């Protein structure tokens, strides 16, 4: 069965500063999502904020440089992901529409396999 | 069947190309699951037809002949591929494995090949594909246009268009955009995406955004073909009927939109005797049916407006308050700055240029309309009719700066010249 990665992109200013009640609602909506699509979900995680991110860039000559922060500075940052199984894009999109992302949205990408 | 002359065979193949390409390709794609291979097989079938039909005569059902020929070639190619390794990923058809597809093909031979064009339309116009690529894929896969022809239609270079089409095909395969008609609950949204593609084709053809010709006849005709095809495949969809009506009613004026010297003739001055009566009759009948559904949707309402124009014996006799009312309904169903602009223009004809100007000025801060030449041109016309010559001149100059169609530029330049004297 083909797999898709559903990347949750959200405005960190908003998503990292919710009140406890909203936080609980969001957690509940993830539980609901997980229950509804448990046969399709292969994995998933929430991520710590981009403030905790460390990036490594390599130049052509094999040297690498370590920097503080996300790889690309954007208003909406990667905040979590689900790995799902779906027969085709339409099914993947139906599942991904249910992924809670109140402060942004999701990106759906097919995984690449090498055989 | 008897041998046929070269010219008549070439005409028959050209006719089958125009009428049957989408059907033949859709049926072949069902077997190959691979767009490139399907295109290659269909191309090959048309080439074979040029020779075979000279010897044996043009078959009674050219589409069936072409489909059988293309599918045989596809099966042959698939068998060959099996002996080597499979190259490209296959198109996702959730309800069939490749073995089942080949078996289905054999069954189809005994019965009748199903019409798979709906699947093909929904795949080409999938919202996960970039809008410009949806149009390009539709023209190429359903209408059989070459990449060069599609490139010419949209005034981009052939390599640019080829890259756009390749990228879209790659996405269809790798993201597994399915080759199927969407589920019932998703259908309205997905039909809308298809209608938008056909409507864009029509509007691009009806008034070409740039270039020497006002009308791009090839695009207009393809949009009519596609709207008819969709109306045939989804006979109960009122939005589809509405779009076909809109296109027929608008295009009915085609012959009168230019004078013999190639100058633009506005609606007010068009010779209504020369409007295409049969298109108008068909369009009005479609509008009547489409409006029965409540509340009426976007395309039936737009078609209803076109029908009011088509039914008016003269420009002066146009029922402008009816048109204003229809635009108001349209604003509720489908709010858009362009609809608001058209409503403002209609107000100008219903209640006089001062009212029209006020309605237009209310839209002046709308960012979408800032680069839209018709806002400036409509303001210019109302200002001219109010006798505010110098303001009108400025507005015409603004419209000219925003217009790249040669015929429209000539019209605006002529108006500007009249005001100068």
């Amino acid at each position: 069965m083909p797999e898709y990665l559903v990347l949750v992109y959200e405005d960190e200013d908003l998503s990292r500063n919710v009140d406890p009640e909203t936080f609980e609602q969001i957690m509940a909506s993830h539980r609901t999502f997980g229950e509804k699509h448990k046969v399709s979900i292969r994995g998933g995680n929430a991520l710590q904020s981009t403030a905790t991110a460390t990036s490594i860039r390599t130049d052509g000559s094999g040297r690498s440089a370590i920097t503080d922060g996300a790889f690309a500075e954007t208003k909406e940052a990667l905040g979590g992901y689900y790995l799902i199984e779906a027969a085709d894009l339409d099914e993947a999109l139906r599942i991904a529409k249910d992924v809670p992302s109140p402060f942004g949205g999701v990106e759906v990408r097919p995984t690449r396999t090498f055989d | 069947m008897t041998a046929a002359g070269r010219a008549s065979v070439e005409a028959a193949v050209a006719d089958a190309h125009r009428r049957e390409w989408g059907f033949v390709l859709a049926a072949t794609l069902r077997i190959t699951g691979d767009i490139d291979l399907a295109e290659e097989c269909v191309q090959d079938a048309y080439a074979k037809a040029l020779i075979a039909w000279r010897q044996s005569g043009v078959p009674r059902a050219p589409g069936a002949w072409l489909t059988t020929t293309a599918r045989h070639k596809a099966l042959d190619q698939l068998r060959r591929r099996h002996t080597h390794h499979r190259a490209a990923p296959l198109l996702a058809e959730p309800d069939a494995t490749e073995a089942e597809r080949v078996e289905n093909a054999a069954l189809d031979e005994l019965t009748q090949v199903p019409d798979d064009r709906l699947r093909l339309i929904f795949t080409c116009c999938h919202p996960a594909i970039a809008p410009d690529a949806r149009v390009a894929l539709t023209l190429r896969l359903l209408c059989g246009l070459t990449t060069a022809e599609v490139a010419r239609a949209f005034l981009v270079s052939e390599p640019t268009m080829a890259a756009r089409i390749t990228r879209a095909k790659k996405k269809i395969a790798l993201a597994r955009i399915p080759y199927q008609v969407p589920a019932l609950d998703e259908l309205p949204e997905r039909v809308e995406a298809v209608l938008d593609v056909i409507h864009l084709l029509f509007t691009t053809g009806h008034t070409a955004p740039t270039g020497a010709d006002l009308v791009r006849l090839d695009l207009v005709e393809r949009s009519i073909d596609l709207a008819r095809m969709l109306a045939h495949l989804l006979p109960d969809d009122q939005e589809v009927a509405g779009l076909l009506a809109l296109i027929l009613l608008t295009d009915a004026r085609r012959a009168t939109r230019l004078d013999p010297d190639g100058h633009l003739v506005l609606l007010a001055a068009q010779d209504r005797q020369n409007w295409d009566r049969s298109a108008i009759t068909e369009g009005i009948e479609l509008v009547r049916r489409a409006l029965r559904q409540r509340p009426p949707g976007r395309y039936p309402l737009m078609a209803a407006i076109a029908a009011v124009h088509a039914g008016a014996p003269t420009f002066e006799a146009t029922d402008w308050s009816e048109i204003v009312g229809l635009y108001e309904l349209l604003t509720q169903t489908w709010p858009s700055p362009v609809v608001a602009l058209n409503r403002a223009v209609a107000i100008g004809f219903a209640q006089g240029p001062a009212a029209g100007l006020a309605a237009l000025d209310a839209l002046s801060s709308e960012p979408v309309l800032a680069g839209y030449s018709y806002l400036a041109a409509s303001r210019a016309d109302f200002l001219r009719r109010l006798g505010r010559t110098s303001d009108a001149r400025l507005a015409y100059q603004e419209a000219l700066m925003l217009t790249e169609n040669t015929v429209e530029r000539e019209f605006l330049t002529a108006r500007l010249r009249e005001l100068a004297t």
Side-chain angles (χ1 to χ4, degrees):
Chain A
M1 184 78 110
E3 290 182 334
Y4 296 83
L5 192 63
V6 182
L7 302 136
V8 181
Y9 282 94
E10 291 192 301
D11 184 330
E12 279 199 337
D13 289 343
L14 300 172
S15 63
R16 301 285 158 179
N17 295 303
V18 295
D19 56 67
E21 196 188 326
T22 313
F23 180 79
E24 199 35 60
Q25 276 171 14
I26 293 169
M27 291 311 286
S29 60
H30 278 280
R31 282 193 295 274
T32 308
F33 171 77
E35 192 53 39
K36 181 174 175 188
H37 295 292
K38 65 177 171 216
V39 295
S40 308
I41 296 170
R42 287 287 154 271
N45 269 307
L47 301 177
Q48 296 289 359
S49 78
T50 51
T52 67
T54 308
S55 299
I56 305 169
R57 279 188 166 75
T58 45
D59 61 20
S61 59
R63 276 191 298 266
S64 59
I66 294 176
T67 51
D68 170 47
F71 204 85
E73 295 291 344
T74 49
K75 187 168 178 289
E76 277 137 342
L78 183 63
Y81 66 88
Y82 283 102
L83 182 66
I84 60 167
E85 248 185 26
D88 57 53
L89 185 65
D90 280 0
E91 192 189 337
L93 295 178
R94 269 195 294 276
I95 297 166
K97 271 180 193 163
D98 288 341
V99 171
S101 56
F103 306 109
V106 300
E107 176 181 322
V108 180
R109 293 267 290 270
T111 61
R112 187 174 173 189
T113 49
F114 300 89
D115 45 16
Chain B
M1 290 192 282
T2 51
R6 184 166 155 187
S8 71
V9 165
E10 279 174 4
V13 172
D15 188 59
H17 191 279
R18 166 97 189 264
R19 287 172 198 279
E20 314 274 8
W21 182 279
F23 184 94
V24 180
L25 185 84
T28 309
L29 184 53
R30 198 73 193 281
I31 294 180
T32 64
D34 171 325
I35 296 175
D36 287 332
L37 178 59
E39 282 189 296
E40 191 190 307
C41 295
V42 173
Q43 196 70 61
D44 183 69
Y46 277 88
K48 281 196 180 111
L50 277 174
I51 299 158
W53 295 1
R54 281 206 69 185
Q55 287 159 6
S56 54
V58 176
R60 248 186 318 164
W65 188 98
L66 289 158
T67 307
T68 308
T69 307
R71 283 161 62 117
H72 276 156
K73 166 107 179 174
L75 288 170
D76 194 45
Q77 293 280 323
L78 281 181
R79 272 183 220 115
R80 243 180 256 199
R81 266 195 196 187
H82 267 293
T83 57
H84 303 286
H85 70 289
R86 167 96 45 68
L90 290 177
L91 191 68
E93 195 193 321
D95 52 353
T97 64
E98 187 175 320
E100 281 167 348
R101 280 204 302 268
V102 172
E103 196 179 319
N104 285 341
L107 279 175
D108 289 344
E109 301 282 302
L110 300 172
T111 55
Q112 209 184 10
V113 176
D115 191 342
D116 281 322
R117 285 177 299 180
L118 255 191
R119 288 174 192 258
L120 187 55
I121 292 174
F122 282 114
T123 302
C124 290
C125 300
H126 198 285
I129 298 171
D132 51 4
R134 287 179 215 166
V135 181
L137 275 182
T138 302
L139 281 175
R140 172 136 174 174
L141 301 184
L142 279 145
C143 302
L145 265 63
T146 63
T147 300
E149 287 169 326
V150 181
R152 219 175 304 132
F154 287 92
L155 307 165
V156 300
S157 74
E158 199 179 327
T160 303
M161 186 52 80
R164 195 179 287 174
I165 291 173
T166 305
R167 186 173 177 275
K169 283 181 181 170
K170 197 172 163 194
K171 175 151 189 193
I172 290 173
L174 293 178
R176 299 177 65 85
I177 290 177
Y179 191 49
Q180 67 180 3
V181 176
L184 215 53
D185 57 331
E186 288 170 1
L187 201 57
E189 194 185 323
R190 295 287 308 277
V191 168
E192 198 182 314
V194 176
L195 294 177
D196 287 347
V197 164
I198 301 173
H199 187 231
L200 176 68
L201 266 182
F202 175 70
T203 52
T204 308
H206 182 69
T207 304
T210 59
D213 298 322
L214 178 69
V215 176
R216 296 288 318 272
L217 195 56
D218 48 349
L219 294 183
V220 169
E221 285 176 345
R222 297 302 181 171
S223 71
I224 296 174
D225 289 349
L226 285 165
R228 278 198 194 285
M229 186 194 295
L230 204 59
H232 167 74
L233 296 168
L234 295 169
D236 298 325
D237 191 300
Q238 303 312 316
E239 286 294 303
V240 174
L243 177 65
L244 177 57
L246 172 66
I247 291 177
L248 289 172
L249 290 165
T250 312
D251 187 51
R253 306 176 207 141
R254 190 203 302 157
T256 65
R257 292 173 64 219
L258 289 174
D259 70 13
D261 302 323
H263 299 308
L264 188 67
V265 182
L266 290 191
L267 187 60
Q270 286 172 11
D271 176 6
R272 292 174 185 235
Q273 298 301 316
N274 283 326
W275 283 358
D276 181 345
R277 282 295 136 195
S278 70
I280 290 174
T281 308
E282 187 186 355
I284 287 177
E285 180 49 35
L286 283 163
V287 173
R288 277 212 188 96
R289 274 198 287 138
L291 286 175
R292 272 186 219 139
Q293 185 167 298
R294 298 283 155 181
R298 172 190 173 194
Y299 287 113
L301 282 170
M302 288 169 77
I305 293 163
V308 175
H309 285 300
T314 61
F315 184 75
E316 292 69 28
T318 307
D319 188 347
W320 287 104
S321 53
E322 170 78 12
I323 288 180
V324 172
L326 286 166
Y327 272 120
E328 258 144 38
L329 280 176
L330 185 57
T331 312
Q332 289 161 26
T333 331
W334 199 72
S336 108
V338 175
V339 172
L341 169 63
N342 285 321
R343 179 182 156 271
V345 172
I347 288 173
F349 288 111
Q351 301 163 24
L357 191 62
L360 282 179
D361 285 341
L363 302 171
S364 59
S365 61
E366 179 57 62
V368 176
L369 295 178
Y372 198 63
S373 67
Y374 294 121
L375 175 60
S378 308
R379 281 193 78 242
D381 188 54
F382 288 144
L383 288 164
R384 180 183 61 88
R385 289 198 279 146
L386 288 167
R388 290 169 57 181
T389 310
S390 63
D391 290 338
R393 210 176 288 142
L394 278 176
Y396 276 121
Q397 280 159 355
E398 190 190 338
L400 258 174
M401 283 193 293
L402 299 170
T403 305
E404 285 179 52
N405 183 287
T406 309
V407 177
E408 288 187 322
R409 288 186 61 85
E410 276 169 12
F411 171 82
L412 294 167
T413 310
R415 275 283 154 96
L416 198 54
R417 214 177 297 125
E418 282 165 28
L419 288 181
T421 53

